[in-house]
Amino acid sequence: MKQSPMTELWHPDAARIRASNLHRFLEPLGFAANGVVDYRRAQRWSIDHAPEFWSRVWDCCGVRGDKGEVWFDPGEDMLSARFFPDGRLNFAENLLVQDNDTPALIAWGEGRDPRQVCWRELRSQALGFAQTLTACGVVPGDRVAAILPNLPEAIIAMLGVAAIGATFASVSPDFGESAVLDRFQQIAPKVLIACDGYVYGGKCFDVRAKVAAIRAALPTVAHFIHVPHLGLTSAGASLAWSDVIAATPLASLERFPFQQPLYLLFSSGTTGKPKCLVHGAGGTLLQHAKEHRLHADLKPGDRMFYYTTCGWMMWNWLASALAAEATLVLYDGAPFHPDGNILFDLAATERVTFFGVSAKYLDALNKARLRPCASHDLSALRTIASTGSPLLPEGFDYVYTSLKADVHLASISGGTDIVSCFVLGNPCGPVHRGEIQGPGLGMAMEVRDGAGKRVVGTPGELVCTRPFPSMPVAVWNDPGKARYRTAYFEKFPGVWAHGDYAVETASGGFIILGRSDATLNPGGVRIGTAEIYRQVEQIDGVLEALAVGRDSGGDQEVILFVVLRHGVTLDDALAARIRQQLRDGASPRHVPARIIAVPDLPRTKSNKISELAVKQVIHGRPIGNADALANPDVLDVFRELRF
């Protein structure tokens, strides 16, 4: 029997609910008892009593620091509101919470044996690095930039930077030279940390020449630290990695203001130079503590894995799990090399309890017909998380039939803009097919129509109507906050509009339909691209799809691009099947005017398909920053098309 989107796929039993951090957090407040949690009432309370809620998160999550006497200053509007305006803390102090020989980091990667860094080593090396930075003249507010794979060295560097109140920015080494400079030239770093190369798909990539060119274009860099990941030497390095981590550890840690700049994160930059967002230490820490402990149910000793690079905000999110006393499991390399089993080899061997990947990865596993539940021991696994793009209903089915039947599937959605989540998992509630379980505690989420009215069951703009701690402290080089206001508060004055096209369901869940700026509008009817992908990618032979709207005769026609399985041809019969699937499964409005087979689709460095890049190309408009794409050469295929 065909399942409906509202089919319940999983529900935790009472014992699991009682043992959860969320149940323990809510029980004294009257929202949980005897293995039952009233999440919707608790979520409403967390919004209406925001200062008390966030103060309780601070206390229950064991944040080290001083809250100050004022927990919330509402300011004049959402943009000027501040949490804990008198609060002080040190981000690194809150992540370096243990000092023993148990593993803090477990790192896997292509072409090398797994290695571990224990908590004592992590602390010593991070604070040794902090001492080195201080000796180099780095002071609070200075920027330290890194070009690194997802290695322990990246975590150690970030912690050392945070320990002295400086600000950390990172990209992965596969970024092109101009893409790196578009980011780092904005922020004028004092220190640059870079590797010699990386391994991906069975190949070694030497990036020393690229790094040298980047250094030459960054005149503010006073010190260059070389990380010999491939064992290659680098001319001109002022400091060797082995020396900086061996320095005498910093003896004491200063506590800085709650909003002390911690991270500089960058938008994808596919339509122009990437926007640089300044994230504060306190807001990042508090939001991540809530998400990790209450929503992900992380406990001391858990092992958390997320497939990410240092150029995606999920790396920053993963790093904060140290504050929950969890062990971070890192992987650097291709997720399908030598085959699709490598990440499950990692999960089984290291007894991973939280396993995070992208929706596209789960879809690729499904297309490859892999069943890890039959080949790997995943008995330790309690939670599977998915983000990066909407997880389609069929992706939910795949997880429960082919990965693990008794697991909390947490589809989550937020972004670089908030370095966290708006809507995410609830370990005490049911998982419904195709739905994100609900809004995060403390997050006043709604979907609004074009007139600004809240709608339920109808697509519209995802908005947040109240302040939250992880709002950016600022947009870089935006002293009057004009760019900040335009980016998030212009569509609905005073309300954060995130740019996602979504549906709030009657059950309190959310379905993300795609980015608002990629929403299709044929005949004046708005269509989310995820609605099309859900139908098309069910067809055997279709690996991936991308839909864009092309302006034509005062209207918009939908153009559908498909990547086909090897040996499959887009003939009239397959095109007819695709159109029929869309007509029957969605509506006649979803049927494209044209279907075109292409060898690949353009993707960002975090593996998100870039609909906007294709839309620009087929309209003959320039791409603002093609180097922000992982595979910019694929755009040549779209440029050669004739309409």
Side-chain angles (χ1 to χ4, degrees):
M1 185 175 69
K2 186 176 180 180
Q3 294 177 316
S4 72
M6 276 298 295
T7 301
E8 184 177 299
L9 299 177
W10 179 83
H11 196 297
D13 60 29
R16 178 164 176 165
I17 294 173
R18 279 194 301 270
S20 71
N21 294 330
L22 182 60
H23 189 283
R24 286 196 291 270
F25 180 87
L26 295 177
E27 190 171 25
L29 299 170
F31 302 123
N34 302 318
V36 177
V37 170
D38 189 340
Y39 185 81
R40 295 186 78 167
R41 196 161 65 93
Q43 208 273 336
R44 185 72 252 170
W45 175 86
S46 72
I47 295 167
D48 292 340
H49 300 83
E52 293 86 351
F53 167 71
W54 289 107
S55 174
R56 184 170 173 76
V57 170
W58 182 304
D59 293 339
C60 291
C61 293
V63 173
R64 301 178 182 186
D66 179 9
K67 284 190 287 189
E69 296 184 4
V70 178
W71 299 342
F72 179 63
D73 177 359
E76 296 180 357
D77 56 13
M78 190 171 173
L79 184 56
S80 60
R82 292 183 64 189
F83 287 87
F84 305 101
D86 303 321
R88 298 185 71 86
L89 54 79
N90 185 293
F91 187 81
E93 178 187 6
N94 279 278
L95 271 63
L96 296 169
V97 290
Q98 295 193 56
D99 188 12
N100 54 47
D101 293 327
T102 60
L105 309 176
I106 299 173
W108 281 43
E110 284 191 38
R112 66 179 190 271
D113 294 331
R115 62 180 172 129
Q116 294 187 3
V117 178
C118 74
W119 283 95
R120 184 169 291 117
E121 291 170 326
L122 179 63
R123 182 179 186 84
S124 174
Q125 293 180 16
L127 297 185
F129 188 31
Q131 184 73 269
T132 300
L133 292 174
T134 300
C136 289
V138 178
V139 298
D142 281 345
R143 277 78 62 201
V144 176
I147 306 171
L148 291 173
N150 185 19
L151 306 172
E153 287 81 355
I155 300 290
I156 293 165
M158 178 276 290
L159 290 169
V161 171
I164 61 170
T167 308
F168 187 76
S170 62
V171 298
S172 56
D174 59 333
F175 272 53
E177 179 184 330
S178 62
V180 175
L181 291 175
D182 281 344
R183 288 158 173 78
F184 289 173
Q185 282 180 330
Q186 293 185 54
I187 64 174
K190 183 177 283 188
V191 176
L192 177 67
I193 311 163
C195 62
D196 51 359
Y198 64 98
V199 183
Y200 192 89
K203 298 178 181 178
C204 292
F205 295 86
D206 184 343
V207 300
R208 289 176 296 171
K210 178 170 66 178
V211 169
I214 291 167
R215 285 174 55 204
L218 295 173
T220 59
V221 171
H223 300 280
F224 170 55
I225 300 171
H226 173 64
V227 177
H229 178 47
L230 299 183
L232 306 175
T233 59
S234 178
S238 53
L239 293 165
W241 179 257
S242 58
D243 293 334
V244 300
I245 61 172
T248 301
L250 198 67
S252 60
L253 295 179
E254 180 183 351
R255 289 177 175 173
F256 301 98
F258 187 81
Q259 289 197 311
Q260 180 75 9
L262 168 70
Y263 289 133
L264 296 176
L265 298 184
F266 302 89
S267 62
S268 61
T270 52
T271 57
K273 285 201 174 183
K275 182 167 71 263
C276 178
L277 299 159
V278 185
H279 287 291
T284 301
L285 177 67
L286 204 60
Q287 183 82 310
H288 288 182
K290 177 205 72 176
E291 293 178 348
H292 289 151
R293 293 187 186 246
L294 303 185
H295 291 278
D297 200 32
L298 278 188
K299 298 179 174 70
D302 274 344
R303 294 189 166 190
M304 180 184 240
F305 166 79
Y306 223 108
Y307 181 75
T308 182
T309 71
C310 295
W312 189 21
M313 62 137 291
M314 292 310 299
W315 178 85
N316 308 80
W317 192 85
L318 171 66
S320 293
L322 291 169
E325 301 181 56
T327 296
L328 306 188
V329 181
L330 312 176
Y331 183 79
D332 189 70
F336 274 88
H337 182 83
D339 55 44
N341 290 307
I342 184 62
L343 297 189
F344 293 99
D345 294 342
L346 175 154
T349 301
E350 304 299 349
R351 305 293 290 168
V352 167
T353 55
F354 182 105
F355 182 82
V357 289
S358 69
K360 282 295 178 185
Y361 173 75
L362 293 174
D363 181 62
L365 290 175
N366 193 7
K367 295 283 186 181
R369 299 181 174 89
L370 294 176
R371 296 191 73 246
C373 66
S375 55
H376 292 77
D377 176 8
L378 302 178
S379 56
L381 191 57
R382 296 199 314 269
T383 304
I384 294 175
S386 166
T387 193
S389 60
L391 182 63
L392 303 179
E394 292 71 24
F396 281 72
D397 297 340
Y398 174 74
V399 167
Y400 283 105
T401 59
S402 299
L403 299 190
K404 192 172 185 181
D406 182 17
V407 73
H408 176 208
L409 173 56
S411 180
I412 64 178
S413 181
T416 297
D417 320 72
I418 65 167
V419 71
S420 58
C421 305
F422 280 122
V423 291
L424 71 169
N426 167 12
C428 298
V431 173
H432 291 118
R433 183 175 185 260
E435 286 189 19
I436 296 174
Q437 285 174 283
L441 292 169
M443 310 298 281
M445 306 309 300
E446 297 179 1
V447 172
R448 293 191 174 185
D449 62 17
K453 179 183 177 182
R454 184 176 187 176
V455 292
V456 176
T458 301
E461 298 283 342
L462 184 70
V463 303
C464 187
T465 65
R466 304 277 185 90
F468 51 95
S470 64
M471 289 172 59
V473 172
V475 172
W476 191 258
N477 286 333
D478 182 32
K481 294 197 173 183
R483 293 174 63 201
Y484 194 156
R485 195 174 299 276
T486 298
Y488 304 109
F489 296 98
E490 192 170 62
K491 185 178 284 289
F492 303 111
V495 171
W496 179 294
H498 191 56
D500 279 340
Y501 192 51
V503 174
E504 181 182 1
T505 69
S507 66
F510 286 82
I511 300 170
I512 307 297
L513 301 175
R515 293 293 294 169
S516 296
D517 49 14
T519 299
L520 309 173
N521 197 28
V525 178
R526 297 189 78 189
I527 295 173
T529 52
E531 299 174 82
I532 290 179
Y533 304 154
R534 177 193 172 189
Q535 300 300 326
V536 174
E537 293 177 8
Q538 292 182 56
I539 296 173
D540 189 37
V542 178
L543 295 177
E544 286 187 300
L546 181 150
V548 296
R550 177 178 174 273
D551 300 334
S552 177
D555 198 355
Q556 188 181 86
E557 61 179 9
V558 177
I559 310 296
L560 177 65
F561 299 97
V562 292
V563 178
L564 302 177
R565 192 184 300 278
H566 180 70
V568 176
T569 302
L570 182 64
D571 54 18
D572 290 345
L574 179 55
R577 283 178 57 207
I578 291 171
R579 289 190 168 93
Q580 192 64 48
Q581 178 76 27
L582 286 165
R583 187 175 287 107
D584 294 344
S587 81
R589 289 285 186 188
H590 292 73
V591 177
R594 291 187 62 178
I595 305 173
I596 301 170
V598 292
D600 198 4
L601 303 174
R603 311 164 193 282
T604 66
K605 300 290 185 181
S606 56
N607 204 36
K608 298 177 185 178
I609 290 175
S610 181
E611 296 153 326
L612 291 179
V614 171
K615 187 174 182 178
Q616 293 290 93
V617 166
I618 68 170
H619 283 94
R621 297 192 285 261
I623 302 298
N625 187 6
D627 277 349
L629 297 173
N631 55 344
D633 292 346
V634 77
L635 291 175
D636 291 340
V637 173
F638 296 87
R639 290 190 181 98
E640 294 170 2
L641 297 173
R642 296 291 179 266
F643 293 94

